[in-house]
Amino acid sequence: VQLQASGGGLVQPGGSLRLSCAASKGTLEHYAIGWFRQAPGREREGVACISGLDDTTYYTGSKKDRFAISRDYAKNTVYLQMNSLKPEDTARYYCGTGRHCSFYVPEFGPWGQGTLVTVSS
């Protein structure tokens, strides 16, 4: 499955963005889909994941308070709704398939180019 992340951009603190992860080849059904992000000079880290078994959602840290991951089977797309964005959310966001929502980076992929989110006034 090849994935394409999109929807990033420049947003002011407190603003919102919705990222999309679409499959250009194959189906996302039955895959865990994880959103990860990587800021300059930092390692890639998990953000949110949706299970391939029952669409249970998982988040790292306190991101559940501001972020929401969802899946649209008809559009073969997974979304990441991000609200109340903060400057520290600035990063390139990637989506990847996995077997489970482990947030273990080597277990997810392929990554694609990601989409850049910049939170700044």
Side-chain angles (χ1 to χ4, degrees):
V1 177
Q2 295 185 4
L3 304 179
Q4 179 65 47
S6 62
L10 174 64
V11 63
Q12 292 186 343
S16 299
L17 281 175
R18 188 178 76 160
L19 306 184
S20 298
C21 176
S24 59
K25 292 184 179 181
T27 176
L28 297 181
E29 192 172 357
H30 304 308
Y31 283 103
I33 305 298
W35 280 100
F36 292 73
R37 68 185 184 186
Q38 188 166 16
R42 302 190 65 176
E43 294 186 352
R44 192 165 300 185
E45 63 174 1
V47 175
C49 185
I50 187 164
S51 168
L53 295 177
D54 56 8
D55 284 343
T56 300
T57 57
Y58 303 87
Y59 302 87
T60 59
S62 60
K63 296 181 183 66
K64 182 178 182 179
D65 298 336
R66 301 185 292 121
F67 294 1
I69 188 172
S70 61
R71 187 197 301 260
D72 186 328
Y73 285 95
K75 294 183 178 180
N76 205 23
T77 300
V78 170
Y79 301 99
L80 181 67
Q81 177 68 43
M82 305 189 296
N83 301 321
S84 302
L85 284 163
K86 305 175 181 180
E88 50 263 44
D89 294 317
T90 295
R92 184 167 291 273
Y93 285 69
Y94 301 85
C95 58
T97 59
R99 296 184 60 189
H100 308 288
C101 284
S102 66
F103 289 115
Y104 184 47
V105 173
E107 292 184 352
F108 284 81
W111 293 113
Q113 295 184 338
T115 186
L116 182 62
V117 172
T118 303
V119 184
S120 175
S121 56

